Amino acid sequence: MTLSDAPPVAALPPEAGVEALASLLRGRRVVVLTGAGCSTESGIPDYRGPETRHKVRNPIQHREFLQRPEVRARYWARSLLGWPRFTSARPNDAHFALAALERSGVTPGLITQNVDGLHHAAGSERVLELHGALSRVRCLACQAQEPRASVQARMLGLNPDFAHTVVELRPDGDAELPPEAVADFRVPACTRCGGTLKPDVVFFGDNVAAPLVQDAFALLEEGDALLVVGSSLTVYSGFRFVTRAAERHVPIGILNLGESRGDSLADVRVEARAGDVLPRLVESLTRA
């Protein structure tokens, strides 16, 4: 039987889960892997949470963004509308608890699949952003970087009527918008060379940069336990760290609402909101 063939570990409720996670992690250096479920309590929706997994989502595909101007226009139009609400999000109790774990020396750092920057905002210092950060924009031609806020100002100048459109926020900081609404949308170009701009994130169909993956595996090696927070682990970019931990016989705890791809590999699995469990876990692990 392979690792993935094992039956899922039974999920524990919050009360029992805190104690079980504390027993599993106490006295160990805990590397943390976070996903979108860590930020839903900050108002940022996810793709596969209990409330969103059945919604039809059409995320931007990497190849289409590179090859089709109309896809780039659709992305930037949606992003212009979603950006104000995305940037108004603030860290929640889960983010602050993870920052406290780092300050206390329990965790050497964390790996995140999120692009919202909320771990940094909460005070975490060693954060490996697997999928990049929406706060940065990069030119595909000359590689020049520009703050996303600057691009927002330029887009508003080119498309002043868009600012008053009411939309639903999407997981990647953009918004729901019908295709016909972007027919005349004007996309800003690189201020240095006039090239195509892309948010400095990994779109669906793209790969995480190899050096970053190596850094993440190196961080995993520094720990002797892995805690997964708020991730379904559906995407391989995160799941590979769980399989590596399992191969090393490193204890694995999973805290997530709903099932995850790594449930059969976990030693402890807790089904609860991260903001409810993590502060109590930190208190237990850092108690003198």
Side-chain angles (χ1 to χ4, degrees):
M1 184 172 66
T2 65
L3 289 174
S4 59
D5 291 330
V9 173
L12 297 173
E15 290 293 337
V18 171
E19 294 304 316
L21 283 174
S23 296
L24 180 73
L25 303 177
R26 187 173 289 113
R28 292 188 163 102
R29 284 173 61 77
V30 183
V31 174
V32 181
L33 170 66
T34 68
C38 194
S39 293
T40 52
E41 294 169 55
S42 294
I44 297 177
D46 57 12
Y47 275 108
R48 302 177 185 89
E51 304 300 324
T52 56
R53 66 183 59 181
H54 301 300
K55 285 190 175 183
V56 176
R57 301 286 191 184
N58 295 302
I60 294 292
Q61 300 292 320
H62 177 69
R63 180 176 297 179
E64 290 188 344
F65 185 92
L66 297 184
Q67 296 178 349
R68 298 173 57 189
E70 69 273 20
V71 171
R72 294 196 290 274
R74 177 163 59 94
Y75 170 79
W76 284 115
R78 298 189 325 195
S79 180
L80 181 150
L81 297 174
W83 183 248
R85 285 185 58 197
F86 186 81
T87 55
S88 69
R90 296 295 178 262
N92 61 58
D93 289 343
H95 297 108
F96 288 120
L98 293 174
L101 277 184
E102 184 182 20
R103 287 195 303 272
S104 68
V106 171
T107 176
L110 64 84
I111 304 163
T112 186
Q113 297 171 288
N114 299 338
V115 296
D116 51 42
L118 292 180
H119 286 301
H120 288 295
S124 291
E125 295 187 3
R126 191 178 182 190
V127 181
L128 298 182
E129 297 172 313
L130 286 179
H131 296 164
L134 277 177
S135 61
R136 303 185 299 265
V137 175
R138 186 183 299 275
C139 174
L140 295 176
C142 70
Q143 300 304 309
Q145 289 194 38
E146 182 178 356
R148 176 62 182 77
S150 172
V151 175
Q152 181 77 0
R154 294 203 285 129
M155 284 194 294
L156 287 171
L158 291 170
N159 307 276
D161 294 338
F162 261 73
H164 306 293
T165 306
V166 178
V167 293
E168 177 189 353
L169 184 65
R170 290 164 48 92
D172 295 323
D174 55 358
E176 298 288 355
L177 196 64
E180 61 271 16
V182 304
D184 298 320
F185 188 83
R186 299 176 64 190
V187 178
C190 174
T191 57
R192 177 183 293 180
C193 74
T196 297
L197 295 178
K198 176 183 176 294
D200 200 12
V201 298
V202 177
F203 282 145
F204 282 80
D206 195 7
N207 296 312
V208 178
L212 182 55
V213 174
Q214 293 170 3
D215 289 345
F217 276 126
L219 174 56
L220 186 65
E221 294 290 327
E222 293 182 31
D224 43 20
L226 174 66
L227 175 61
V228 179
V229 178
S231 178
S232 67
L233 299 172
T234 301
V235 180
Y236 179 69
S237 65
F239 182 60
R240 60 181 140 196
F241 301 108
V242 179
T243 59
R244 175 68 65 86
E247 290 165 357
R248 293 177 55 217
H249 303 288
V250 167
I252 300 169
I254 295 180
L255 169 58
N256 189 52
L257 276 175
E259 299 176 350
S260 86
R261 188 180 179 185
D263 288 347
S264 63
L265 304 179
D267 294 278
V268 173
R269 176 184 164 221
V270 182
E271 186 157 350
R273 298 193 335 159
D276 291 339
V277 170
L278 286 179
R280 293 153 62 195
L281 178 64
V282 171
E283 182 181 358
S284 181
L285 292 178
T286 58
R287 187 182 301 135

